[in-house]
Amino acid sequence: MKKTPYIFLLLALAFVMCTKSENSAGDKLFELIAKGNLEQFKAAVDASSDLNTTNSSGYSLLNYSIKEKESSIALFLIESGADVNAMSTTKSSKSPLMYAVKYKQLEVLKLLIEKGANLDVKNPDGHDVLYYANKYADREVMSILADHITLYDGVDGPYIFYSDEKVESVSVNIKHELVREDMSGKSEFDVELPEPYKTFKVQLKGKHEREEAIYPIAEKVLVVADIEGDISAFVDLLKSNHVIDEDYKWIFGNGHLVLNGDFVDRGNYVTQVLWLIYKLESEAENAGGKVHFIIGNHEDMLLRGNWKYTQQKYKAIASSLAIGYKDLYGNGTELGKWLRTKKLIAKVGDCIFVHAGLSKELLDKNLSVEELNNTAIPYIGTDRDVRAGIELIDFLYGRMGLLWYRGMVVDYKDYLKISSQNLDALLDFYKAQRIIVGHNVVDEVSFDFGGRVVRVDVDHHEEAQALLIVNGETFYRVDDKGQKEKL
């Protein structure tokens, strides 16, 4: 009995020595990777070697060799049976594929895929291989991945880029392929939509100029807000309310179509939505009508390159072109030039149209509708730090400004919903009877403050709705099936 403690002690010591020996062997392998010595590394590996051992930092041998850009060692490990899906346990955990993408180890990337590495795996942060491909933008990496995963997820484009040398169109076709075309000397192109929707033609505009912001009462005004890249909801609303025909041509006569902001982000068909608006503008003008595109916070975010609400496909396109997301809509692109001429506020008859709303603090600025646009439009899409240095611009694009203020619909964080008295002061200053806003999702297009505020942002996935104003005095809630209900 007295010998028992000694036996346990000897066993524990043997275990410690064995573990130390294993760790020592593993540490030696990591040291050889750091030195980049393939032959010594091969010599140090034998039948007893654990090829999936990790170091104190949480890297497996394979992940560490990719991170250190020792591709020859990484290739040897893969061929020798190392786990091609071993996630590191570092703070930012990644798989071998993710490391190969991040560090542009092309041959390693190819072999990992060949050996069955999981292309769909996500790390604890929810990031997948495509996330890192987008983040570290490399055309060769994208080219390899394109043979195995769908990068672009549906038709898109075109994006039209201008340079001193040429005009280039970039689009994604029905086969999910990125297509580049020389557009020099061409003025017309096709925009593809997902089935069952039709392709339509667009004629390039010769130039882009800022528009007037104040118009007399129109016979018919259809107001749509917050489509956010949902081409089906947009097309269905326009068709069912006789704004466009089956071929997406303007049939609204001298009517006005007011697009009250946030037509981009979130959805999968942002570019097609923009091109349809672009096309309808010219057709409306020719018929004596008008399309008003009001800038929302998401249009501004898109032009600033804020990717927060952007679908993966757009990041993949930008990555494949080795440009930033905002460069898809830069000053050297057709859509970018066009969007930067749009207004932040409009008035038709006695109705004010603005994406988010007007705060009582705006009254202190003493700016007319025209002055608001003239002041704000030059700063659409500019960096926030630039705006921060200009007090008035910082306000107009800030939380109490036209793109973000929520107080016409709800209490919000550190401020309350606008009072009836302050609303009346705003209406009196702008000589208006109503303010039409989007930005805040409501159950249905509806009145508030006895009709002085009209709320038009709804969940279009549930039921697409719009506002129809007839002769400036009768208001209807309409939907994508052509149903109409008086407010």
Side-chain angles (χ1 to χ4, degrees):
M1 293 294 294
K2 290 183 180 180
K3 292 181 180 180
T4 302
Y6 296 103
I7 293 172
F8 280 118
L9 180 61
L10 288 171
L11 287 172
L13 183 61
F15 175 78
V16 169
M17 293 301 292
C18 181
T19 302
K20 185 175 181 180
S21 175
E22 289 178 359
N23 288 343
S24 176
D27 289 343
K28 182 180 179 182
L29 291 175
F30 282 100
E31 289 172 6
L32 291 172
I33 291 173
K35 291 177 181 178
N37 194 317
L38 174 61
E39 294 309 316
Q40 287 187 25
F41 185 86
K42 286 182 176 180
V45 172
D46 56 35
S48 65
S49 298
D50 180 4
L51 297 183
N52 297 313
T53 188
T54 58
N55 64 10
S56 58
S57 298
Y59 293 103
S60 68
L61 289 169
L62 177 55
N63 286 336
Y64 188 70
S65 63
I66 300 171
K67 176 181 175 293
E68 292 296 304
K69 298 184 179 180
E70 295 299 337
S71 58
S72 60
I73 296 178
L75 293 169
F76 170 74
L77 283 165
I78 297 168
E79 293 286 10
S80 300
D83 185 355
V84 294
N85 291 307
M87 300 289 288
S88 63
T89 56
T90 58
K91 184 178 180 181
S92 180
S93 178
K94 296 182 183 68
S95 70
L97 273 177
M98 294 171 188
Y99 283 113
V101 166
K102 178 177 179 179
Y103 294 105
K104 300 178 177 60
Q105 298 295 288
L106 304 183
E107 295 306 313
V108 174
L109 179 60
K110 291 176 185 177
L111 187 59
L112 284 168
I113 294 172
E114 181 184 321
K115 295 296 184 180
N118 187 350
L119 286 154
D120 299 319
V121 69
K122 294 185 177 181
N123 65 12
D125 293 328
H127 298 149
D128 58 11
V129 172
L130 189 52
Y131 169 86
Y132 291 102
N134 292 326
K135 183 174 181 179
Y136 298 104
D138 183 85
R139 288 190 187 184
E140 291 179 288
V141 166
M142 284 295 192
S143 178
I144 294 169
L145 292 176
D147 292 332
H148 303 279
I149 58 178
T150 299
L151 296 179
Y152 309 120
D153 192 23
V155 294
D156 191 40
Y159 301 89
I160 297 178
F161 297 89
Y162 295 98
S163 68
D164 294 336
E165 295 79 27
K166 62 180 178 179
V167 182
E168 185 180 38
S169 165
V170 177
S171 58
V172 177
N173 64 20
I174 197 69
K175 298 178 181 178
H176 311 293
E177 298 169 332
L178 198 69
V179 179
R180 306 176 78 138
E181 180 185 355
D182 188 349
M183 280 283 292
S184 302
K186 299 179 182 179
S187 61
E188 189 178 73
F189 55 87
D190 290 334
V191 176
E192 287 190 83
L193 296 182
E195 293 183 351
Y197 297 94
K198 296 180 180 180
T199 295
F200 60 87
K201 290 190 178 296
V202 174
Q203 188 78 28
L204 285 175
K205 302 175 188 289
K207 57 183 178 179
H208 303 294
E209 296 178 343
R210 294 186 200 172
E211 305 162 336
E212 297 295 323
I214 298 180
Y215 295 81
I217 290 174
E219 181 182 343
K220 298 172 293 183
V221 178
L222 187 76
V223 189
V224 185
D226 298 80
I227 285 293
E228 296 178 338
D230 187 343
I231 191 67
S232 59
F234 191 39
V235 167
D236 291 349
L237 275 172
L238 297 183
K239 286 171 63 175
S240 63
N241 290 286
H242 311 294
V243 175
I244 61 175
D245 64 14
E246 292 296 323
D247 296 317
Y248 312 140
K249 294 179 180 177
W250 180 269
I251 56 171
F252 207 44
N254 62 0
H256 286 219
L257 174 63
V258 180
L259 308 171
N260 221 29
D262 281 8
F263 278 70
V264 305
D265 276 350
R266 288 197 172 96
N268 273 315
Y269 298 100
V270 168
T271 320
Q272 290 92 331
V273 166
L274 292 177
W275 282 125
L276 182 55
I277 297 168
Y278 181 104
K279 175 182 101 76
L280 292 177
E281 277 188 346
S282 300
E283 295 176 5
E285 292 281 351
N286 292 337
K290 187 68 184 176
V291 174
H292 306 271
F293 192 171
I294 309 295
I295 290 290
N297 58 298
H298 282 281
E299 279 80 28
D300 182 61
M301 291 168 72
L302 175 140
L303 293 174
R304 286 193 283 111
N306 186 321
W307 296 37
K308 185 175 181 181
Y309 300 102
T310 304
Q311 289 293 328
Q312 196 82 343
K313 63 184 284 188
Y314 301 110
K315 301 172 188 177
I317 291 168
S319 294
S320 295
L321 299 174
I323 61 176
Y325 175 52
K326 70 177 181 180
D327 296 321
L328 292 175
Y329 303 94
N331 284 304
T333 69
E334 182 67 12
L335 286 175
K337 291 174 182 286
W338 171 67
L339 283 169
R340 286 172 172 81
T341 65
K342 299 303 146 194
K343 52 207 173 202
L344 276 69
I345 183 170
K347 185 180 181 188
V348 180
D350 59 9
C351 292
I352 292 284
F353 299 89
V354 62
H355 175 61
L358 307 178
S359 64
K360 65 181 179 62
E361 286 79 5
L362 183 65
L363 288 173
D364 298 333
K365 311 303 178 185
N366 198 37
L367 295 171
S368 67
V369 167
E370 297 96 328
E371 289 169 335
L372 282 170
N373 281 320
N374 290 339
T375 302
I377 288 173
Y379 292 90
I380 292 172
T382 55
D383 292 339
R384 295 177 74 176
D385 56 351
V386 172
R387 295 174 186 167
I390 308 169
E391 184 178 354
L392 179 56
I393 299 302
D394 191 42
F395 171 81
L396 293 177
Y397 283 94
R399 65 187 185 89
M400 305 300 284
L402 286 67
L403 306 187
W404 290 96
Y405 178 63
R406 297 183 183 273
M408 291 203 142
V409 180
V410 294
D411 295 337
Y412 188 70
K413 292 185 178 179
D414 56 350
Y415 58 79
L416 298 175
K417 186 175 178 179
I418 195 168
S419 68
S420 181
Q421 181 181 2
N422 286 327
L423 174 59
D424 284 340
L426 283 161
L427 290 169
D428 182 60
F429 180 81
Y430 288 106
K431 296 179 173 55
Q433 293 296 314
R434 293 177 177 84
I435 301 174
I436 289 89
V437 299
H439 193 52
N440 292 277
V441 178
V442 291
D443 292 336
E444 58 185 5
V445 170
S446 51
F447 281 159
D448 199 0
F449 292 99
R452 290 171 292 165
V453 170
V454 191
R455 306 169 300 187
V456 295
D457 179 11
V458 300
D459 184 347
H460 294 293
H461 296 291
E462 291 291 326
E463 181 185 22
Q465 294 183 358
L467 171 71
L468 177 65
I469 308 171
V470 178
N471 295 320
E473 58 184 26
T474 310
F475 293 72
Y476 297 93
R477 178 191 307 117
V478 297
D479 66 17
D480 55 354
K481 301 174 183 63
Q483 298 179 103
K484 184 168 70 172
E485 182 180 359
K486 188 176 180 180
L487 296 182

